[in-house]
Amino acid sequence: MWKEKNNKLVRDFKFKDFKEAFGFMTRVALIAEKMDHHPTWSNVYNQVTIELSTHDAGDIVTDKDRELAKAIDQLI
């Protein structure tokens, strides 16, 4: 579930292993590139944390972030 904190949409994802986590990140990267809206994220083994905010709007959550979050959710 996405949570809004510190002017960002944040969600943690946990996968079976690194390969599955990395595959997820690759799919997210393709969507983000197509939308020209890129996440801040981190990966440690099977865990991925994604933070979304719109830099052009002053690093706040906008409809672009909500749209990307929805597209990411559809990958799960």
Side-chain angles (χ1 to χ4, degrees), residues 1-2 9-16 21 24-25 28 41-52 68-69 71-76:
M1 183 62 82
W2 292 94
L9 284 181
V10 180
R11 183 167 176 190
D12 296 312
F13 298 86
K14 190 170 185 176
F15 299 93
K16 183 177 80 176
F24 169 74
M25 292 178 72
V28 170
W41 56 10
S42 65
N43 165 242
V44 177
Y45 183 59
N46 68 335
Q47 296 182 56
V48 177
T49 299
I50 299 178
E51 297 179 344
L52 303 175
L68 181 53
I72 292 169
D73 285 346
Q74 292 175 351
L75 296 175
I76 302 297

Side-chain angles (χ1 to χ4, degrees), residues 15-70:
F15 299 93
K16 183 177 80 176
D17 54 25
F18 176 76
K19 183 176 159 182
E20 195 175 293
F22 193 84
F24 169 74
M25 292 178 72
T26 301
R27 292 189 304 276
V28 170
L30 294 172
I31 292 169
E33 185 65 17
K34 186 180 270 190
M35 293 176 68
D36 192 30
H37 192 57
H38 305 92
T40 300
W41 56 10
S42 65
N43 165 242
V44 177
Y45 183 59
N46 68 335
Q47 296 182 56
V48 177
T49 299
I50 299 178
E51 297 179 344
L52 303 175
S53 65
T54 303
H55 307 295
D56 302 7
D59 288 321
I60 60 170
V61 176
T62 67
D63 287 341
K64 284 178 98 173
D65 304 298
R66 290 182 186 89
E67 184 179 336
L68 181 53
K70 184 176 179 180

